[in-house]
Amino acid sequence: MRAQGSFEVRMVAQGDADAADGTTLGRMALDKQYAGDLAGSARGTMLSALTAVQGSAGYVAIERVTGSLHGRRGSFVLQHDGLMSRGVRPLASPVVLASGSGVLARPRGRVDMQITDGEHR
């Protein structure tokens, strides 16, 4: 089964960034709103490393998504692991097994994200 939709994300820095040797390490709180086949909200934490090369960075994040997926209510956790190389960013985030609740108690799969012209889908 496939779900499609969009999301908006708000990121808030948690503490001061650590900049040294051309790389900046940071920690962000995530607040997301999902719309479409997956409708709901998410909260999470992201750790990032921004390099001196424009558009190149790495990050890891964990977020708990709460809402409905094709009308089934519950929650589950996504684990993100992303690398950007000069703006190219393949983003596939697996669902953490056994992380669900409600009707989504046994989730499996992944979320493939695309960011085009600033829009997250």
Side-chain angles (χ1 to χ4, degrees), residues 85-116:
S85 178
R86 301 186 192 285
V88 176
R89 48 182 139 203
L91 302 174
S93 303
V95 173
V96 175
L97 296 177
S99 69
S101 72
V103 180
L104 302 175
R106 284 185 249 125
R108 64 178 205 263
R110 70 173 197 247
V111 173
D112 294 317
M113 292 179 232
Q114 300 171 347
I115 304 171
T116 306

CSV table of all heavy atoms in Angstrom, one decimal, residues 85-116:
chain,number,residue,atom,x,y,z
A,85,SER,N,24.7,15.7,-1.1
A,85,SER,CA,25.9,15.9,-1.8
A,85,SER,C,25.7,17.0,-2.9
A,85,SER,O,25.0,16.7,-3.9
A,85,SER,CB,26.5,14.7,-2.4
A,85,SER,OG,27.6,14.9,-3.1
A,86,ARG,N,26.1,18.2,-2.6
A,86,ARG,CA,25.9,19.3,-3.5
A,86,ARG,C,24.4,19.5,-3.9
A,86,ARG,O,24.1,19.7,-5.0
A,86,ARG,CB,26.8,19.2,-4.7
A,86,ARG,CG,28.2,19.2,-4.4
A,86,ARG,CD,29.1,19.2,-5.6
A,86,ARG,NE,30.5,18.8,-5.3
A,86,ARG,CZ,31.4,19.6,-4.7
A,86,ARG,NH1,31.0,20.8,-4.3
A,86,ARG,NH2,32.6,19.2,-4.5
A,87,GLY,N,23.5,19.4,-2.9
A,87,GLY,CA,22.1,19.6,-3.1
A,87,GLY,C,21.3,18.3,-3.4
A,87,GLY,O,20.1,18.4,-3.4
A,88,VAL,N,22.0,17.2,-3.8
A,88,VAL,CA,21.2,16.0,-4.1
A,88,VAL,C,21.0,15.3,-2.8
A,88,VAL,O,21.9,15.0,-2.1
A,88,VAL,CB,22.1,15.1,-5.1
A,88,VAL,CG1,21.4,13.8,-5.4
A,88,VAL,CG2,22.3,15.9,-6.4
A,89,ARG,N,19.7,14.9,-2.6
A,89,ARG,CA,19.4,14.3,-1.3
A,89,ARG,C,18.4,13.2,-1.4
A,89,ARG,O,17.2,13.3,-1.3
A,89,ARG,CB,18.9,15.4,-0.3
A,89,ARG,CG,17.8,16.2,-1.0
A,89,ARG,CD,17.3,17.3,0.0
A,89,ARG,NE,17.1,18.5,-0.7
A,89,ARG,CZ,17.1,19.7,-0.1
A,89,ARG,NH1,17.3,19.8,1.1
A,89,ARG,NH2,17.0,20.8,-0.8
A,90,PRO,N,19.0,12.0,-1.5
A,90,PRO,CA,18.1,10.8,-1.4
A,90,PRO,C,17.6,10.6,0.0
A,90,PRO,O,18.5,10.5,0.9
A,90,PRO,CB,19.0,9.6,-1.9
A,90,PRO,CG,20.4,10.1,-1.6
A,90,PRO,CD,20.3,11.6,-1.7
A,91,LEU,N,16.3,10.6,0.3
A,91,LEU,CA,15.8,10.5,1.6
A,91,LEU,C,14.8,9.4,1.7
A,91,LEU,O,13.7,9.4,1.2
A,91,LEU,CB,15.1,11.8,2.1
A,91,LEU,CG,16.0,13.1,2.0
A,91,LEU,CD1,15.1,14.3,2.3
A,91,LEU,CD2,17.1,13.0,3.0
A,92,ALA,N,15.2,8.3,2.4
A,92,ALA,CA,14.3,7.2,2.7
A,92,ALA,C,14.4,6.9,4.1
A,92,ALA,O,15.5,6.6,4.6
A,92,ALA,CB,14.7,5.9,1.8
A,93,SER,N,13.3,6.9,4.8
A,93,SER,CA,13.3,6.8,6.3
A,93,SER,C,12.5,5.6,6.7
A,93,SER,O,11.3,5.6,6.5
A,93,SER,CB,12.8,8.0,6.9
A,93,SER,OG,13.5,9.2,6.5
A,94,PRO,N,13.1,4.5,7.2
A,94,PRO,CA,12.3,3.4,7.6
A,94,PRO,C,11.5,3.6,8.9
A,94,PRO,O,11.9,4.4,9.8
A,94,PRO,CB,13.4,2.3,7.9
A,94,PRO,CG,14.6,3.1,8.3
A,94,PRO,CD,14.5,4.4,7.5
A,95,VAL,N,10.4,2.9,9.0
A,95,VAL,CA,9.6,2.8,10.2
A,95,VAL,C,10.3,2.0,11.2
A,95,VAL,O,10.8,0.9,10.9
A,95,VAL,CB,8.2,2.3,10.0
A,95,VAL,CG1,7.4,2.1,11.2
A,95,VAL,CG2,7.5,3.2,9.0
A,96,VAL,N,10.5,2.4,12.5
A,96,VAL,CA,11.1,1.6,13.5
A,96,VAL,C,10.1,0.5,13.9
A,96,VAL,O,9.0,0.7,14.3
A,96,VAL,CB,11.5,2.5,14.7
A,96,VAL,CG1,12.0,1.6,15.9
A,96,VAL,CG2,12.5,3.5,14.4
A,97,LEU,N,10.6,-0.8,13.7
A,97,LEU,CA,9.7,-1.9,14.0
A,97,LEU,C,9.3,-1.9,15.5
A,97,LEU,O,10.0,-1.5,16.4
A,97,LEU,CB,10.4,-3.2,13.7
A,97,LEU,CG,10.8,-3.4,12.2
A,97,LEU,CD1,11.6,-4.7,12.0
A,97,LEU,CD2,9.6,-3.4,11.3
A,98,ALA,N,8.0,-2.3,15.7
A,98,ALA,CA,7.4,-2.4,17.0
A,98,ALA,C,7.3,-1.1,17.7
A,98,ALA,O,7.2,-1.0,18.9
A,98,ALA,CB,8.2,-3.4,17.9
A,99,SER,N,7.3,0.0,16.9
A,99,SER,CA,7.2,1.4,17.5
A,99,SER,C,5.8,1.9,17.5
A,99,SER,O,5.5,3.0,17.9
A,99,SER,CB,8.1,2.3,16.8
A,99,SER,OG,7.6,2.6,15.4
A,100,GLY,N,4.8,1.2,17.0
A,100,GLY,CA,3.4,1.7,16.8
A,100,GLY,C,2.5,1.6,17.9
A,100,GLY,O,2.8,0.9,18.9
A,101,SER,N,1.4,2.3,17.8
A,101,SER,CA,0.3,2.2,18.7
A,101,SER,C,-1.0,2.3,18.0
A,101,SER,O,-1.1,2.6,16.8
A,101,SER,CB,0.4,3.3,19.7
A,101,SER,OG,0.0,4.6,19.1
A,102,GLY,N,-2.1,2.0,18.7
A,102,GLY,CA,-3.4,2.0,18.1
A,102,GLY,C,-3.5,1.0,17.0
A,102,GLY,O,-3.0,-0.1,17.0
A,103,VAL,N,-4.3,1.3,15.9
A,103,VAL,CA,-4.4,0.4,14.8
A,103,VAL,C,-3.1,0.3,14.0
A,103,VAL,O,-2.9,-0.7,13.3
A,103,VAL,CB,-5.5,1.0,13.8
A,103,VAL,CG1,-5.7,0.1,12.6
A,103,VAL,CG2,-6.9,1.1,14.6
A,104,LEU,N,-2.2,1.2,14.2
A,104,LEU,CA,-0.9,1.1,13.6
A,104,LEU,C,0.2,0.5,14.5
A,104,LEU,O,1.4,0.8,14.4
A,104,LEU,CB,-0.4,2.6,13.2
A,104,LEU,CG,-1.4,3.3,12.3
A,104,LEU,CD1,-0.9,4.8,12.1
A,104,LEU,CD2,-1.5,2.7,11.0
A,105,ALA,N,-0.3,-0.5,15.3
A,105,ALA,CA,0.6,-1.1,16.3
A,105,ALA,C,1.8,-1.9,15.8
A,105,ALA,O,2.8,-2.0,16.4
A,105,ALA,CB,-0.2,-2.0,17.3
A,106,ARG,N,1.6,-2.4,14.6
A,106,ARG,CA,2.7,-3.2,14.0
A,106,ARG,C,3.1,-2.6,12.6
A,106,ARG,O,2.9,-3.2,11.6
A,106,ARG,CB,2.3,-4.6,13.8
A,106,ARG,CG,2.4,-5.4,15.2
A,106,ARG,CD,2.1,-6.8,15.0
A,106,ARG,NE,0.8,-7.1,15.7
A,106,ARG,CZ,-0.3,-7.6,15.1
A,106,ARG,NH1,-0.2,-8.1,13.9
A,106,ARG,NH2,-1.4,-7.8,15.7
A,107,PRO,N,3.6,-1.4,12.6
A,107,PRO,CA,3.9,-0.7,11.4
A,107,PRO,C,5.2,-1.3,10.7
A,107,PRO,O,6.0,-1.9,11.4
A,107,PRO,CB,4.2,0.7,11.8
A,107,PRO,CG,4.8,0.6,13.1
A,107,PRO,CD,4.0,-0.6,13.8
A,108,ARG,N,5.2,-1.2,9.4
A,108,ARG,CA,6.5,-1.6,8.7
A,108,ARG,C,6.4,-0.8,7.4
A,108,ARG,O,5.4,-0.3,6.9
A,108,ARG,CB,6.6,-3.1,8.4
A,108,ARG,CG,5.5,-3.6,7.6
A,108,ARG,CD,5.8,-5.1,7.4
A,108,ARG,NE,5.2,-5.6,6.1
A,108,ARG,CZ,4.0,-6.2,6.1
A,108,ARG,NH1,3.3,-6.4,7.2
A,108,ARG,NH2,3.5,-6.5,4.9
A,109,GLY,N,7.6,-0.6,6.8
A,109,GLY,CA,7.7,0.2,5.6
A,109,GLY,C,8.7,1.3,5.7
A,109,GLY,O,9.6,1.3,6.6
A,110,ARG,N,8.6,2.3,4.9
A,110,ARG,CA,9.5,3.4,4.9
A,110,ARG,C,8.8,4.6,4.3
A,110,ARG,O,7.8,4.5,3.6
A,110,ARG,CB,10.7,3.1,4.2
A,110,ARG,CG,10.5,3.0,2.7
A,110,ARG,CD,11.9,2.9,1.9
A,110,ARG,NE,11.7,3.2,0.5
A,110,ARG,CZ,11.8,2.3,-0.4
A,110,ARG,NH1,12.2,1.1,-0.2
A,110,ARG,NH2,11.6,2.7,-1.7
A,111,VAL,N,9.3,5.8,4.6
A,111,VAL,CA,8.8,7.0,4.0
A,111,VAL,C,9.9,7.5,3.1
A,111,VAL,O,11.1,7.7,3.5
A,111,VAL,CB,8.5,8.1,5.1
A,111,VAL,CG1,8.2,9.4,4.5
A,111,VAL,CG2,7.4,7.6,6.0
A,112,ASP,N,9.5,7.7,1.8
A,112,ASP,CA,10.4,8.3,0.8
A,112,ASP,C,10.1,9.8,0.7
A,112,ASP,O,8.9,10.1,0.4
A,112,ASP,CB,10.3,7.6,-0.6
A,112,ASP,CG,10.8,6.2,-0.5
A,112,ASP,OD1,11.8,5.9,0.1
A,112,ASP,OD2,10.1,5.3,-1.1
A,113,MET,N,11.0,10.7,0.9
A,113,MET,CA,10.7,12.1,0.9
A,113,MET,C,11.3,12.7,-0.3
A,113,MET,O,12.4,12.4,-0.7
A,113,MET,CB,11.2,12.7,2.2
A,113,MET,CG,10.4,12.3,3.4
A,113,MET,SD,11.0,13.1,4.8
A,113,MET,CE,11.3,11.7,5.9
A,114,GLN,N,10.6,13.7,-0.8
A,114,GLN,CA,11.2,14.5,-1.9
A,114,GLN,C,11.0,16.0,-1.5
A,114,GLN,O,9.9,16.4,-1.0
A,114,GLN,CB,10.4,14.3,-3.2
A,114,GLN,CG,10.5,12.8,-3.7
A,114,GLN,CD,9.6,12.6,-4.8
A,114,GLN,OE1,8.7,13.3,-5.2
A,114,GLN,NE2,9.8,11.4,-5.5
A,115,ILE,N,12.0,16.8,-1.8
A,115,ILE,CA,11.9,18.2,-1.6
A,115,ILE,C,12.2,18.9,-2.9
A,115,ILE,O,13.3,18.8,-3.4
A,115,ILE,CB,12.9,18.7,-0.5
A,115,ILE,CG1,12.7,17.9,0.8
A,115,ILE,CG2,12.8,20.2,-0.3
A,115,ILE,CD1,13.7,18.1,1.8
A,116,THR,N,11.1,19.5,-3.4
A,116,THR,CA,11.2,20.1,-4.7
A,116,THR,C,10.7,21.6,-4.6
A,116,THR,O,9.6,21.8,-4.2
A,116,THR,CB,10.3,19.4,-5.8
A,116,THR,OG1,10.7,18.0,-5.8
A,116,THR,CG2,10.5,20.0,-7.2
